[in-house]
Amino acid sequence: MILLTTLLPSTSLPAVSVWELFSFDSFAHAFMFCVLSFLMIVGMSKQFTFPRLRHYAVRGSLLASTMFGIAIELLQHFFIYGRQGDIIDVLANTIGCLFGIVLFKWIYIW
């Protein structure tokens, strides 16, 4: 779902002002990657096939989801006509991943 929504042509996106786009876009990126990293940690910590992955679920989730966010921006920049990669989006993705970790720890550990 994240891959499909981030690779849509820019003509499919709603037209909004620059300030609204910046705030909505950053929030949307952070929210999607928060959910992604949270669910990855839950899934990795509840599986029993790979014990090391279970032990390092938070680190693995942070690495995988951050690399996924960077890969999406690179795909947008180099391969999707009408879209361009943005370092602000990478930053919002990474912040969302960190919020996902905090959310996991808040729900499951504290």
Side-chain angles (χ1 to χ4, degrees):
M1 181 67 169
I2 293 173
L3 184 62
L4 292 176
T5 57
T6 56
L7 295 179
L8 284 174
S10 60
T11 56
S12 300
L13 298 175
V16 291
S17 73
V18 174
W19 289 106
E20 289 177 38
L21 179 64
F22 177 73
S23 63
F24 175 76
D25 186 50
S26 296
F27 174 75
H29 277 264
F31 178 75
M32 287 192 302
F33 278 83
C34 176
V35 172
L36 175 67
S37 65
F38 174 79
L39 292 176
M40 284 179 72
I41 296 169
V42 170
M44 287 180 192
S45 63
K46 291 189 178 199
Q47 59 86 27
F48 293 100
T49 306
F50 304 103
R52 287 185 60 99
L53 188 59
R54 182 176 184 202
H55 182 69
Y56 295 109
V58 172
R59 292 179 191 169
S61 169
L62 180 63
L63 179 67
S65 55
T66 302
M67 290 297 117
F68 183 62
I70 292 170
I72 285 173
E73 293 305 317
L74 290 173
L75 282 171
Q76 285 179 354
H77 186 73
F78 291 112
F79 297 111
I80 307 299
Y81 180 73
R83 296 292 302 255
Q84 56 189 14
D86 190 9
I87 193 69
I88 299 298
D89 289 347
V90 172
L91 184 61
N93 297 345
T94 305
I95 290 171
C97 294
L98 294 173
F99 278 136
I101 292 170
V102 170
L103 182 65
F104 173 80
K105 290 189 179 259
W106 183 60
I107 291 174
Y108 283 95
I109 295 175
W110 293 324

